[in-house]
Amino acid sequence: TDPQPRGPLASQPFGSPAPPAHRMVSASQMALGLALAASGAQAFTPSTPQLLSMKATGSPAPQPFAPKPRVAAKPLVPSYPLARRTPALQAASIPAAVDVNEWAVKDPAYTALEGAPRYASDDWLFNLKTFFTSPILARVASHLLANTIFATLVWVAWAYYVPALKVFCAGLSTAPHTLTAGSLGLLLVFRTNSAYDRFWEARKIWGNLINKIREAARMGHTALSGPEREHYLALVAVFPTLLLQHLQALDGTYRKTLLSDLQKTALTDMLSKSDMEVLWKTRNRPFCLIKMMGAIVKRYYSDADNMAKRYGKTKEEMTAIEVAACQANIVSERSFFELRMTDFSDIMGMCERIVRSAVPRQYSRHASRFLSIWCFTLPFVLITSLGWKMIPAVAIICWMLFVIEEVGHVIEDPFNIHMAIGGSGQEDELRIEGSMMNLRLDTMERYPATDPSVTNLNGEQFTAKDYDIAQWHDEYKADGKR
């Protein structure tokens, strides 16, 4: 059904005669050759009937077969310098590679990425020492104290004042608590896992935001110039800070001010007075920032003279090829900026979804009621066998169960977790506030630009002029002009 001939006839015009007989190979000859080659034979010789058949048809005698010797694979690393392999770079000045050992002993701007603090097995003694200062214990203290006092009252009444209580407790069995303990444990574990899923989702969302912030900053440095570049970078740098503040609520105990100290530091010397006036009047500060970014990008790419300056000409002097290249760059870069701003809106919506939705209230209330009834009835089934020792036993059991439930409450709202355990040293459990200043420094850093107008002040870089972000590439240019 294929109208195009294939195989030996592919090069023959349609309808041309078949190739000569000596060029045809029978199926048996092909199978024999493949079998001998697969078995590692060094050569083969056809049989006498085959030789007679080839002689009668005029076919040439076959040549002995021998496999080609193996050739060592060439290394994948190209030889240096590159000019030897690329003729187009012959005129360029290829710099010599540096000695890595020489640079390995020099102090860089930073050594390595700082990891999050992790629990170690050696921390058990510290954890026991800080038992009574634990913020989680403080949160469950009222519930735990109520159960402990109730267990004490049950023992006093059982031992001294209510003889009938001994008879009542003696007839009770631990079977109901034993049977329901498994259900209670599953309920608490599911509640805690649901909260941890929200915690981990928030961390993934914020990690995605970090990636998008750096991509937006990279393109801002590469594509924009002048005041538009500086204003755009400043808005990108403060977006994480204002987004986090947007997600956090005021609290009379742990959060009494609109901005935390770390947020104030990240916002210092970044926005102008007019920017702050606009942001403080809007009903959604991070979304207003996104709109401000879009306005800057629109203004920059709507200026035809500014686009023509990339080629050192006015728009009237540009050739057709330069105009086409400029148009392609404008479409590509503008699309990139618009996609990043769309990403910012999506991330903001994901964060708001976590803050404004909670674990279903009916589930939390049922778990709380189940746990409270189970713990308040526990003294009656333990007092007969334990006596006064029932009091510490009930306190310890209640502490373990209450803390499991409270951990789920604490991490359920990850963006406000610092409010739940304020003053514990773990306020930034998601390491979100710690990332704000890092993102600001990453966004405002001017490297790889080496223009002398870029000044360094206390670890941050500033400039009021345009600069070439690829000046570090001059070593690869012939006389610095190509």
Side-chain angles (χ1 to χ4, degrees):
T1 60
D2 189 354
Q4 297 296 331
R6 301 181 184 277
L9 300 179
S11 61
Q12 298 288 338
F14 184 75
S16 60
H22 70 273
R23 294 177 59 187
M24 303 294 291
V25 181
S26 66
S28 61
Q29 290 174 337
M30 184 179 294
L32 178 61
L34 292 175
L36 291 174
S39 63
Q42 298 297 323
F44 75 92
T45 303
S47 61
T48 301
Q50 288 176 326
L51 288 174
L52 294 176
S53 175
M54 293 178 182
K55 185 176 181 180
T57 58
S59 301
Q63 298 297 324
F65 168 80
K68 295 182 179 181
R70 296 178 63 88
V71 180
K74 296 181 178 181
L76 297 178
V77 180
S79 59
Y80 200 85
L82 296 177
R84 296 177 182 173
R85 300 179 60 85
T86 310
L89 294 178
Q90 292 289 348
S93 175
I94 305 299
V98 300
D99 184 4
V100 179
N101 294 325
E102 176 185 349
W103 284 87
V105 297
K106 295 184 177 181
D107 292 332
Y110 77 101
T111 53
L113 183 66
E114 181 183 357
R118 289 172 171 81
Y119 173 79
S121 300
D122 297 337
D123 295 339
W124 66 270
L125 183 58
F126 172 80
N127 294 333
L128 289 179
K129 291 180 179 179
T130 58
F131 178 87
F132 293 103
T133 59
S134 169
I136 299 295
L137 178 62
R139 288 182 59 89
V140 302
S142 61
H143 199 180
L144 180 59
L145 183 61
N147 278 82
T148 305
I149 293 175
F150 181 76
T152 303
L153 294 176
V154 169
W155 175 78
V156 171
W158 177 85
Y160 299 105
Y161 298 103
V162 186
L165 186 59
K166 290 186 177 182
V167 179
F168 173 75
C169 293
L172 297 179
S173 172
T174 59
H177 283 75
T178 303
L179 294 175
T180 57
S183 300
L184 179 60
L186 290 176
L187 193 64
L188 293 177
V189 168
F190 183 79
R191 174 68 177 81
T192 305
N193 286 345
S194 299
Y196 182 77
D197 287 341
R198 295 164 56 86
F199 176 88
W200 185 240
E201 182 184 6
R203 188 63 190 92
K204 291 191 292 184
I205 293 173
W206 199 262
N208 187 27
L209 175 64
I210 292 175
N211 298 339
K212 302 304 181 183
I213 289 291
R214 287 171 176 164
E215 279 296 295
R218 177 186 65 83
M219 198 61 178
H221 283 284
T222 305
L224 303 180
S225 61
E228 285 83 4
R229 178 193 63 210
E230 301 305 315
H231 197 184
Y232 176 82
L233 291 176
L235 297 181
V236 171
V238 301
F239 179 76
T241 303
L242 290 181
L243 175 60
L244 181 59
Q245 186 277 323
H246 171 72
L247 301 173
Q248 294 176 336
L250 293 177
D251 182 86
T253 303
Y254 302 111
R255 184 66 179 277
K256 298 180 181 180
T257 59
L258 185 66
L259 297 170
S260 68
D261 292 339
L262 290 176
Q263 291 170 352
K264 292 178 182 178
T265 302
L267 291 174
T268 301
D269 298 329
M270 292 300 295
L271 299 178
S272 65
K273 181 179 179 180
S274 59
D275 289 339
M276 296 301 290
E277 289 178 349
V278 171
L279 290 172
W280 250 241
K281 291 178 181 178
T282 184
R283 63 184 303 274
N284 191 318
R285 282 180 288 275
F287 185 57
C288 183
L289 274 178
I290 298 173
K291 292 188 289 184
M292 293 166 70
M293 296 178 200
I296 293 173
V297 171
K298 176 184 176 181
R299 176 175 178 175
Y300 182 80
Y301 284 100
S302 298
D303 189 345
D305 292 329
N306 191 28
M307 295 295 99
K309 288 180 181 179
R310 294 186 173 190
Y311 298 90
K313 302 178 181 179
T314 63
K315 58 180 182 292
E316 291 80 9
E317 299 172 341
M318 296 177 64
T319 65
I321 295 179
E322 291 173 336
V323 171
C326 184
Q327 291 175 343
N329 286 336
I330 291 174
V331 172
S332 176
E333 294 171 7
R334 179 75 182 273
S335 299
F336 183 93
F337 283 115
E338 295 295 337
L339 287 176
R340 293 293 78 76
M341 288 182 283
T342 301
D343 292 335
F344 292 159
S345 297
D346 292 340
I347 291 173
M348 183 179 68
M350 296 176 189
C351 295
E352 290 177 341
R353 182 189 70 233
I354 293 179
V355 172
R356 297 180 67 87
S357 62
V359 176
R361 184 177 301 176
Q362 293 81 358
Y363 183 86
S364 298
R365 286 182 174 177
H366 176 68
S368 178
R369 289 164 182 161
F370 189 175
L371 179 60
S372 297
I373 294 174
W374 196 92
C375 291
F376 275 117
T377 57
L378 187 61
F380 296 102
V381 298
L382 295 181
I383 191 170
T384 301
S385 57
L386 297 180
W388 68 268
K389 299 176 184 177
M390 170 270 299
I391 299 175
V394 168
I396 293 175
I397 294 173
C398 291
W399 166 77
M400 291 188 293
L401 297 177
F402 293 164
V403 166
I404 293 175
E405 181 190 31
E406 192 61 29
V407 166
H409 293 160
V410 167
I411 65 177
E412 178 183 347
D413 188 2
F415 294 109
N416 286 288
I417 193 172
H418 69 286
M419 294 168 54
I421 50 176
S424 65
Q426 303 173 2
E427 293 84 353
D428 195 16
E429 191 69 27
L430 279 178
R431 300 179 72 81
I432 289 179
E433 291 205 345
S435 68
M436 294 186 305
M437 198 62 191
N438 289 332
L439 288 175
R440 167 178 167 168
L441 294 173
D442 289 345
T443 301
M444 303 307 294
E445 186 180 58
R446 307 296 162 157
Y447 292 119
T450 57
D451 192 280
S453 65
V454 178
T455 58
N456 194 301
L457 181 62
N458 297 328
E460 295 194 65
Q461 297 172 354
F462 302 91
T463 183
K465 300 180 181 179
D466 290 341
Y467 60 89
D468 184 3
I469 199 173
Q471 285 180 330
W472 53 271
H473 189 63
D474 285 344
E475 284 185 310
Y476 282 81
K477 302 175 184 178
D479 300 328
K481 299 179 181 179
R482 288 192 56 197

